Amino acid sequence: MDEIKYQQRAINLAKESIGLVSPRPAVGAVIVSEGKIISEGKTNVSPSDHAEAEAIKNANGDLSKAILYCTLEPHNFDSHDSACTKLIIKSGIKKISCPKIDKNPKVNGEGFNQLEKAGIEVVRSWGKEQINQIESLYESYDFMIENQKPRISAKFAMTLDGKISTANKESKWITSEESRNKVHEIRNQCDAIISGINTIIMDNSKLTSRLNNEPTGKPKYRVVLDNNCRLNKSHEIFNDENSGEVIWFTSSNLSIKNIPNHITHVKSKNKKISPEEVIDYLSKLGCYEILIESGGTLLGSFFDKRLVNKVYAFIAPTIFGGESAPSPIGGNGIKNIIDKIELSNTIVETIKEDILIIGIID
């Protein structure tokens, strides 16, 4: 059906913006006239256009017979730019198709109400698969609005016996290439990735997302926690100016001069960087989806503070053994079973020979 095709195109456009435009929600918009797509738009980084505004500005001619498909309720308030509802009304469009209310208290149904009062038909029904994608697309945005804090996800890969490396620290590769590709899909949905300096040193990770072996330019922020200022020119993330901004947290004073422009240094006020100050800093930047990819010490500190909201656990059907081989979650852990951290709404996926467990921490 053509309806599904237009809905999916709008979703795909929104996915291009996710991870780049926070604190704005990523939105896709498609204008269809006489059975043809005549214009498209997606959310741009502030202060550039919203998706609906971009699509309308790119459209030519009479739009009175056109339908606007968009993934999230158009906003109805003026900020530095005009409300999208005003632009839609002024454009002459008489029908929009949009499945989801924007839970932002400034919107929350008022965008749809304003359009309907202006005589514009609002259609809310979309395909089941498209609705599922929409809910996933705005899961962390909704979380931010409802909880007034970003959602923190933890990703780790381990063997069947719960090891993230051998006793002599070999860790490449525990899981399959297909699982590693899935990790890049997860990274592609995030505003920021947090890692520790030990992971950067061992893996020389750039903390970027690549789809089909092509860099996506995401996430917006790459965050390195480095108490003793060990990040230097020998690490790719230090030199990689073409990907997201690097935020370099330390608790010691820097001795390195001439830091590249893509790196922002943040000196901790504490003797040791705290998870809370990192999350607070990223929250003020507008991040609402944050992924932690690190060793057990850093992950353990976030779990000990009960800051993790979602888990991506990749499990390979291999066994390392060894008492000294590390597990994914370090820190203090729990003393009593009653205090265990439980996952809900779990999803289990099979990726080649690996298993991925996704779950929510309430």
Side-chain angles (χ1 to χ4, degrees):
M1 292 176 59
D2 286 343
E3 287 286 306
I4 296 297
K5 179 177 73 174
Y6 306 141
Q7 294 166 11
Q8 190 60 52
R9 179 56 186 160
I11 291 170
N12 291 345
L13 287 165
K15 288 179 178 178
E16 291 178 11
S17 289
I18 198 167
L20 295 174
V21 298
S22 61
R24 287 177 166 181
V27 178
V30 172
I31 298 177
V32 176
S33 182
E34 298 181 335
K36 294 182 179 179
I37 295 176
I38 61 170
S39 187
E40 298 180 338
K42 61 184 178 182
T43 307
N44 294 275
V45 177
S46 181
S48 296
D49 287 332
H50 289 228
E52 301 93 330
E54 183 174 70
I56 289 169
K57 289 180 181 179
N58 290 338
N60 296 312
D62 181 15
L63 298 181
S64 61
K65 295 182 181 180
I67 303 173
L68 170 65
Y69 294 81
C70 54
T71 56
L72 186 67
E73 177 184 13
H75 81 290
N76 58 299
F77 59 92
D78 293 329
S79 51
H80 64 270
D81 52 7
S82 295
C84 284
T85 50
K86 290 183 180 179
L87 295 175
I88 294 169
I89 293 167
K90 187 178 179 180
S91 74
I93 291 172
K94 299 301 181 185
K95 181 178 180 179
I96 80 160
S97 178
C98 179
K100 183 169 176 61
I101 285 179
D102 186 343
K103 292 186 178 181
N104 183 336
K106 293 182 179 180
V107 187
N108 202 26
E110 287 305 310
F112 288 146
N113 290 340
Q114 192 175 102
L115 294 172
E116 289 176 329
K117 287 178 182 178
I120 295 174
E121 180 184 359
V122 176
V123 176
R124 298 280 306 279
S125 59
W126 279 33
K128 183 177 179 180
E129 172 58 27
Q130 285 63 43
I131 289 291
N132 290 338
Q133 291 180 65
I134 290 286
E135 291 305 316
S136 176
L137 185 66
Y138 297 112
E139 200 175 75
S140 57
Y141 173 71
D142 289 347
F143 181 95
M144 180 68 169
I145 292 170
E146 293 166 359
N147 297 279
Q148 294 300 297
K149 62 180 181 180
R151 186 174 70 171
I152 314 300
S153 297
K155 168 263 163 184
F156 51 85
M158 66 181 186
T159 61
L160 193 59
D161 58 334
K163 308 297 184 181
I164 59 172
S165 76
T166 62
N168 66 352
K169 308 303 181 185
E170 287 187 32
S171 60
K172 288 189 175 181
W173 296 100
I174 290 176
T175 53
S176 65
E177 182 178 357
E178 288 78 4
S179 288
R180 298 196 294 276
N181 290 337
K182 180 69 174 183
V183 171
H184 282 284
E185 292 179 19
I186 295 168
R187 288 180 175 185
N188 200 54
Q189 301 170 12
C190 298
D191 300 309
I193 299 176
I194 297 174
S195 194
I197 187 60
N198 288 333
T199 299
I200 299 298
I201 291 172
M202 288 193 328
D203 298 340
N204 202 14
S205 176
K206 293 169 68 173
L207 302 182
T208 56
S209 170
R210 295 180 298 279
L211 299 181
N212 299 317
N213 293 319
E214 292 293 330
T216 64
K218 302 176 186 179
K220 193 174 183 179
Y221 302 108
R222 300 174 288 164
V223 185
V224 180
L225 309 193
D226 178 18
N227 279 301
N228 298 313
C229 306
R230 291 189 288 162
L231 185 68
N232 59 59
K233 295 179 182 178
S234 69
H235 305 125
E236 286 195 53
I237 196 170
F238 189 94
N239 304 301
D240 177 24
E241 299 184 8
N242 298 317
S243 301
E245 179 181 339
V246 173
I247 302 174
W248 183 16
F249 280 87
T250 72
S251 57
S252 304
N253 293 321
L254 289 185
S255 58
I256 297 175
K257 296 181 179 179
N258 301 319
I259 299 174
N261 291 332
H262 72 289
I263 298 179
T264 298
H265 174 245
V266 180
K267 171 72 162 57
S268 173
K269 297 177 182 179
N270 307 303
K271 291 183 179 179
K272 187 177 181 180
I273 302 163
S274 72
E276 292 92 343
E277 69 179 317
V278 176
I279 299 307
D280 183 62
Y281 185 93
L282 294 176
S283 179
K284 289 176 180 176
L285 289 178
C287 296
Y288 48 79
E289 180 68 23
I290 299 170
L291 179 68
I292 308 170
E293 282 194 64
S294 70
T297 300
L298 182 56
L299 268 180
S301 68
F302 276 84
F303 275 97
D304 283 345
K305 296 293 182 66
R306 296 297 194 266
L307 294 174
V308 178
N309 311 113
K310 188 173 184 177
V311 170
Y312 297 92
F314 291 83
I315 304 170
T318 54
I319 294 173
F320 285 177
E323 291 184 4
S324 60
S327 63
I329 314 297
N332 297 321
I334 63 167
K335 294 182 179 180
N336 304 304
I337 291 179
I338 194 173
D339 298 321
K340 64 182 178 292
I341 298 171
E342 296 185 275
L343 303 184
S344 63
N345 300 318
T346 53
I347 298 171
V348 180
E349 296 181 15
T350 301
I351 305 175
K352 202 174 181 181
E353 68 268 24
D354 301 330
I355 295 171
L356 169 59
I357 299 176
I358 305 170
I360 303 297
I361 299 176
D362 296 322

